[in-house]
Structures are given as C-alpha cells and as structure tokens.
C-alpha cells in the first residue's frame, strides 16, 4: 500500500484487480475544498489510458513488478524465448504480450522483461536500436534533399521510412516506440 503522496511516474497500481501504470500525476490544492491528485493511468496489458482522480492522502494498492534484464534468444513458433542474464533461466513469451516490440528485436538482443507474480506483463527495449537496411530502392543521383523519404525494410522485416539517399546495407538508428528513422550509424 502507498499513499497518493507517494505516486510517481512508472509506479504500477493494483486497482480492482487490474494493473495500471502511472503515466502522469499532479497534486492539486484548490482554494476551496480538499486537495486531490489527478492522474493519467495506462492499463499494463491493454495499453488503454484513463484519467483518474484520488483524494489526497488516500491509500492505493501498489503491485510489485519485477523488471529483469533478459536476452532474446529465438522465436519458437509464435512464442519468443528469452534468457535471464543472471540465472540463465529461459522463459517463453507469447507474441501478443511482446506486441510491436517484435518489429525491432533481433536474436541475442538485450531487453527488459517485466513480470508480476510469474506472469510476463510486457517487454521493453531501449529507446533506440541500430538496424541494418536489408532492402530499399536505390537512390538516384541528386536525391540528397532532406524533404523526401522512401520505404526501407530493416533486418527484422519491418518497413520504415528513410531519406532518399540511404542504400541497402546501411546501418540506421530507429526509435523503438514510434518506428521513426533517427539517423545513420557510421561504423
């Protein structure tokens, strides 16, 4: 249990048997009436966000979420197999739980796997990853403007938009949250 005064971003609450993560919170002290805390909560499993208001000082139940550093080993059918970096224990995570993160996961890549009471809640990657472009149309001479983009397929098979001058085999940095091209990586 925690007080509403202890709320912080990323804290996971157990409300009515469901897990909600605090995205934003704001303590409000109106000139008239009692103080309260306005929060934006995100459902851990579905990703749905809701606004919720708590009276100041009210106790809320927190959930213990164990975030472990794991390494993605391989795909086994529709499941993803991860290995705990410290215990070498392997777990299978269903494709539905991994979600869009799968678009940016290569074998032997490090990830954070969040678990609650033995159940995997979600998989988290670093904010950006380096990927190699496996296919894109060749750029034409003079295509150096920053205005145009073209589709490019990265090593995982996911398609992103890149500037016209990039070619197959180029290594690029990609934002794992949005899938946006962030820049070229020079080795």
């Amino acid at each position: 249990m925690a007080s509403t005064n202890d709320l912080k971003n990323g804290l996971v609450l157990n409300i009515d048997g469901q897990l909600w993560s605090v995205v934003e919170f704001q303590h409000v002290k109106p000139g008239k009436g009692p103080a309260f805390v306005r929060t934006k909560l995100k459902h851990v499993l579905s990703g749905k966000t809701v606004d919720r208001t708590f009276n100041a000082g009210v106790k809320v139940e927190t959930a213990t979420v164990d975030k472990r550093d794991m390494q993605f080993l391989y795909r086994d059918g529709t499941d993803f197999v991860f290995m705990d970096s410290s215990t070498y224990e392997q777990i299978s995570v269903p494709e539905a739980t991994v979600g869009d993160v799968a678009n940016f996961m290569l074998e032997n890549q490090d990830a954070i796997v969040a678990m609650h009471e033995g159940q995997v809640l979600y998989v988290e990657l670093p904010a950006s990853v380096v990927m190699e472009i496996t296919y894109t149309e060749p750029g034409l001479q003079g295509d150096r403007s920053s205005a145009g983009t073209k589709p490019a397929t990265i090593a995982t098979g996911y398609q992103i938009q890149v500037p016209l001058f990039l070619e197959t085999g180029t290594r690029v940095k990609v934002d794992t949250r949005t899938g946006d091209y962030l820049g070229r990586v020079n080795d």
Side-chain angles (χ1 to χ4, degrees):
M1 295 295 262
S3 167
T4 54
N5 298 332
D6 302 329
L7 290 181
K8 60 182 184 233
N9 291 348
L11 184 69
V12 178
L13 306 176
N14 187 351
I15 301 172
D16 302 328
Q18 296 188 10
L19 299 178
W20 297 85
S21 177
V22 177
V23 178
E24 292 176 13
F25 68 97
Q26 178 184 22
H27 291 274
V28 180
K29 175 75 174 102
K32 192 175 190 182
F36 60 91
V37 179
R38 187 178 294 137
T39 63
K40 181 182 274 188
L41 303 174
K42 180 179 178 184
H43 194 273
V44 172
L45 299 176
S46 69
K48 181 175 83 170
T49 57
V50 297
D51 294 322
R52 181 131 184 209
T53 304
F54 297 99
N55 291 331
V58 170
K59 297 283 187 200
V60 288
E61 188 178 342
T62 59
T64 52
V65 174
D66 181 22
K67 291 187 176 184
R68 296 184 190 173
D69 289 327
M70 294 197 168
Q71 185 178 41
F72 169 59
L73 296 179
Y74 58 90
R75 285 187 76 151
D76 183 20
T78 59
D79 289 353
F80 290 77
V81 178
F82 290 88
M83 179 182 68
D84 191 317
S85 303
S86 56
T87 64
Y88 303 109
E89 170 191 349
Q90 292 185 11
I91 60 167
S92 276
V93 180
E95 191 173 32
T97 305
V98 174
D100 292 339
V101 173
N103 297 329
F104 307 105
M105 277 196 326
L106 293 172
E107 291 181 359
N108 301 322
Q109 186 168 2
D110 292 329
I112 295 171
V113 178
M115 302 177 80
H116 173 67
E117 297 177 353
Q119 179 188 4
V120 176
L121 300 176
Y122 58 88
V123 176
E124 202 174 79
L125 286 178
S128 64
V129 292
V130 175
M131 291 281 169
E132 184 174 331
I133 295 175
T134 55
Y135 177 77
T136 188
E137 294 292 329
L140 299 172
Q141 188 67 30
D143 279 342
R144 301 288 182 252
S145 70
S146 60
T149 61
K150 62 182 177 179
T153 305
I154 57 176
T156 59
Y158 186 68
Q159 202 169 59
I160 62 171
Q161 292 293 320
V162 297
L164 293 169
F165 61 86
L166 291 180
E167 298 187 6
T168 301
T170 306
R171 292 168 48 87
V172 294
K173 189 180 272 191
V174 181
D175 188 323
T176 58
R177 297 162 298 202
T178 61
D180 292 342
Y181 163 82
L182 295 176
R184 186 168 41 177
V185 176
N186 298 324
D187 293 328

